[in-house]
Amino acid sequence: HPVPKALLIPSTMVSIMPQRQAQDAKKPSARSAKFSKSELKKGTVLGLQDKYFIKLVNGETGTDGNSMTVPTELSGKQLNELVNQLNQDKLPYSFYVNGQPIQDSIKGAVLRLDDAERLDKSTEDEPLQIIYFPEALFKVRSVTRCTASLPGHSEAILHVQFSPDGQHLASCGGDATVRLWDLQTQTPFKTLKGHTNWVLQVAWSPDAERLAAGGRDGTIKVWLKDGKKACKNLTAHKKWITSICWEPYHLNTECRRFASASKDCTIKIWNTTKGLCEFSLSGHTHGVTCVKWNGDGTIYSSSQDCTIRQWCTKTKTMLKLLKGHAHWVNNMSLSTDYALRRGAFDENCAPIQDKEESKRQSKERYEKIVAYQPLRIISGSDDNTLCLWEPGNSEKPIARLPGHQGVVNHVAFSPNGRFIASASFDKSVKLWDAQTGKFLHTFRGHVGPVFQVCWSGDSRLIVSCSKDSTGKVWDVESRKLLHDLPGHFDELYTVDWSNDGQRVASGGKDRTLKIYMH
């Protein structure tokens, strides 16, 4: 068939097309056209240079390091080797330019920045600052498969928590029972009964010897790890229990005391040896949603009265009132949470035999976090925002973190204290810089409200659970979804990652507990 005339290209056009393509290639791209001609001529716009003049800054100590000229294609791995040579060590580091992680190359990180940030000059007078942080010496492998599906609860599972020694898992739920599971055999160990209504919270002591559980019936029960009762029922609260937190290990190696928060607007301090309430802290005007016992002996509580309060356990009085939210404060996290949770055990959940040595190491872990920066608190609220606090310096938030389009249900500091993860009813998980409060990334993938987030021990991974019945593992460095954790058939309410990083446990409305491993 003859070719239609409309498809015939004149021979003159054939000779002209390569010339036009060559001319188009010489034109600046739409991206580079945003910059002025003088900037392009000088080659000072970041991302368009062959070399950068950089300054290395230690993010942990804040000290300035060496300044030098390096190729733009230098990768994070090569920067790590460079810093190791300069510092004469062999530690793993992570590198950032204005909050952007450097992975494949410095140029790649620079090009991911906003236009305003990319217009900074890289000269000897104003070098490009590259901030580096030491990473955990161990690396947690992402969980990928379900190794155990454990039925037993007859109603929804509301909370799960691994013991600090990594030997047991505790779960509680709407069937008014607490169940202990043996992690070595992945089988039921004990069923603990006695509550008359939903059990809402479980909390292991830092030495992994005791377990406290609080319920909707307003009572708290304490058991030993073998399933025997540690003391009589603790019944001073008038409404249901919302949160339980044990006294840090380095303050009391006997692990006898814990704090509980309740809908009755009070926080109570309990002694498990005597089986009684030592004292009560009153001041909140609405239900208390969360309580944390910090390593300096002070207690922090958040409430539906839109405030956070700091309490002194010695004088039994309120020290500070932190105001900033416009609605209920649902949850809060301290930058020292993970260091205190480890208790008397190392990063592999191995016990430290000598009590004085374990106390010293526990105190060192806590002091290392607060030496890097003063204690910080992150809080999430029904006003769709987070607030970042530094209570040692101000009663006002140092940063307000807007961005979520729904209720912020759960927040958590990373173990190294450098990042914050938040879970919201807007179906997303967000990542924030814990130093500045700057927004870093939104992890999208859930198709229902996200109830909870939890960090791996090396601060590289986040696991989240959602109403969409799935758990998801997110990679902080690549900012991508690593793995889906399917298997549940209904809403997923709670998730926890063991201290040694080997297991993730999840539970929800389908009444089944699932354990995931690599």
Side-chain angles (χ1 to χ4, degrees):
H1 298 282
V3 180
K5 290 184 179 181
L7 297 180
L8 292 175
I9 302 173
S11 57
T12 52
M13 284 293 291
V14 174
S15 61
I16 292 171
M17 284 172 67
Q19 296 174 17
R20 285 186 178 173
Q21 288 174 357
Q23 289 172 2
D24 290 342
K26 291 179 183 178
K27 292 180 182 178
S29 65
R31 189 164 199 158
S32 62
K34 295 179 183 178
F35 308 120
S36 67
K37 291 181 179 179
S38 60
E39 287 170 330
L40 291 170
K41 190 175 180 180
K42 292 176 185 175
T44 55
V45 179
L46 294 183
L48 302 179
Q49 304 177 73
D50 293 328
K51 293 182 180 180
Y52 294 146
F53 190 79
I54 66 167
K55 178 191 282 186
L56 294 168
V57 180
N58 188 324
E60 195 169 49
T61 61
T63 54
D64 291 349
N66 300 65
S67 297
M68 64 194 77
T69 303
V70 297
T72 60
E73 299 300 326
L74 205 66
S75 67
K77 188 175 180 181
Q78 291 168 320
L79 279 170
N80 205 131
E81 293 173 1
L82 176 63
V83 172
N84 281 337
Q85 288 179 7
L86 295 171
N87 295 346
Q88 296 183 342
D89 58 27
K90 292 184 178 180
L91 296 174
Y93 293 98
S94 56
F95 299 85
Y96 299 86
V97 177
N98 285 8
Q100 275 292 341
I102 298 173
Q103 297 166 3
D104 49 351
S105 67
I106 304 175
K107 183 177 180 179
V110 167
L111 291 175
R112 289 195 297 270
L113 295 172
D114 295 335
D115 288 342
E117 292 172 313
R118 289 171 56 217
L119 283 169
D120 291 335
K121 307 295 185 297
S122 172
T123 64
E124 291 190 24
D125 294 331
E126 295 181 39
L128 176 65
Q129 279 202 352
I130 294 182
I131 302 175
Y132 64 93
F133 295 90
E135 293 284 284
L137 294 175
F138 62 98
K139 192 167 186 177
V140 173
R141 295 189 297 179
S142 172
V143 294
T144 56
R145 60 195 173 92
C146 178
T147 59
S149 189
L150 306 171
H153 283 283
S154 58
E155 291 293 338
I157 298 170
L158 302 176
H159 193 214
V160 296
Q161 191 179 85
F162 286 100
S163 61
D165 63 358
Q167 298 299 309
H168 294 95
L169 173 69
S171 63
C172 64
D175 58 2
T177 66
V178 175
R179 293 174 185 263
L180 299 182
W181 310 85
D182 188 320
L183 291 176
Q184 302 305 315
T185 59
Q186 297 190 343
T187 55
F189 178 64
K190 291 283 182 181
T191 300
L192 310 175
K193 298 179 179 180
H195 285 282
T196 58
N197 208 328
W198 303 348
V199 186
L200 303 173
Q201 286 283 319
V202 288
W204 286 96
S205 62
D207 61 358
E209 294 294 325
R210 296 174 180 83
L211 176 74
R216 197 174 173 83
D217 56 8
T219 65
I220 299 172
K221 299 181 184 298
V222 184
W223 288 277
L224 298 175
K225 66 178 181 180
D226 60 5
K228 295 178 181 178
K229 289 195 75 172
C231 64
K232 65 180 183 180
N233 292 348
L234 308 176
T235 57
H237 281 296
K238 296 176 182 177
K239 291 187 178 180
W240 63 85
I241 313 301
T242 56
S243 181
I244 297 173
C245 187
W246 287 82
E247 185 176 16
Y249 183 77
H250 67 269
L251 297 180
N252 182 1
T253 56
E254 298 301 321
C255 300
R256 294 173 180 167
R257 300 199 300 170
F258 67 88
S260 64
S262 170
K263 182 70 173 175
D264 65 8
C265 312
T266 65
I267 301 104
K268 296 188 184 297
I269 311 302
W270 305 90
N271 187 311
T272 57
T273 304
K274 298 176 182 178
L276 52 80
C277 175
E278 289 191 351
F279 57 91
S280 184
L281 302 171
S282 302
H284 284 293
T285 56
H286 289 81
V288 185
T289 56
C290 187
V291 63
K292 299 286 185 181
W293 202 321
N294 189 33
D296 61 359
T298 58
I299 289 175
Y300 293 88
S301 60
S302 62
S303 168
Q304 290 178 335
D305 64 9
C306 311
T307 68
I308 295 172
R309 296 173 190 247
Q310 181 189 23
W311 310 86
C312 177
T313 53
K314 292 181 180 178
T315 61
K316 306 177 181 61
T317 57
M318 187 184 77
L319 297 176
K320 289 187 178 179
L321 176 63
L322 310 180
K323 288 184 177 181
H325 283 293
H327 212 305
W328 296 350
V329 183
N330 294 320
N331 188 252
M332 67 174 176
S333 175
L334 309 187
S335 56
T336 56
D337 276 351
Y338 181 80
L340 298 178
R341 178 182 170 177
R342 291 249 305 270
F345 304 91
D346 63 16
E347 67 273 3
N348 296 316
C349 292
I352 303 165
Q353 299 300 335
D354 182 62
K355 189 166 281 192
E356 286 302 315
E357 177 62 18
S358 64
K359 180 180 178 180
R360 185 189 66 79
Q361 289 192 24
S362 177
K363 190 175 181 180
E364 271 186 9
R365 278 197 301 270
Y366 165 74
E367 290 177 343
K368 184 179 178 182
I369 294 291
V370 294
Y372 157 55
Q373 67 180 18
L375 173 76
R376 292 200 167 180
I377 301 173
I378 188 68
S379 57
S381 168
D382 265 26
D383 64 9
N384 299 359
T385 69
L386 295 83
C387 281
L388 184 61
W389 313 82
E390 201 170 275
N393 296 324
S394 174
E395 293 187 4
K396 294 182 179 180
I398 60 173
R400 183 178 293 278
L401 286 56
H404 279 295
Q405 302 300 310
V407 169
V408 181
N409 194 57
H410 193 252
V411 291
F413 268 99
S414 62
N416 59 17
R418 285 182 17 228
F419 299 106
I420 296 161
S422 58
S424 170
F425 282 10
D426 66 4
K427 307 176 187 178
S428 74
V429 174
K430 288 187 185 292
L431 184 69
W432 314 82
D433 187 319
Q435 207 163 14
T436 62
K438 179 183 177 182
F439 166 76
L440 297 177
H441 189 70
T442 299
F443 295 107
R444 298 197 181 277
H446 284 295
V447 293
V450 186
F451 293 130
Q452 198 175 347
V453 288
C454 189
W455 287 86
S456 64
D458 61 354
S459 302
R460 292 183 176 101
L461 304 171
I462 302 169
V463 65
S464 59
C465 64
S466 166
K467 188 176 180 178
D468 65 9
S469 80
T470 69
K472 296 185 188 295
V473 181
W474 312 91
D475 187 284
V476 172
E477 189 175 7
S478 67
R479 312 280 163 89
K480 291 180 180 178
L481 172 66
L482 267 190
H483 298 288
D484 263 309
L485 303 178
H488 286 280
F489 300 109
D490 214 326
E491 299 176 18
L492 199 55
Y493 295 139
T494 179
V495 68
D496 193 28
W497 207 316
S498 63
N499 284 356
D500 59 6
Q502 292 187 14
R503 298 175 178 87
V504 166
S506 62
K509 201 173 180 179
D510 64 359
R511 309 188 295 274
T512 303
L513 184 72
K514 291 190 181 291
I515 297 176
Y516 299 88
M517 296 181 69
H518 178 72

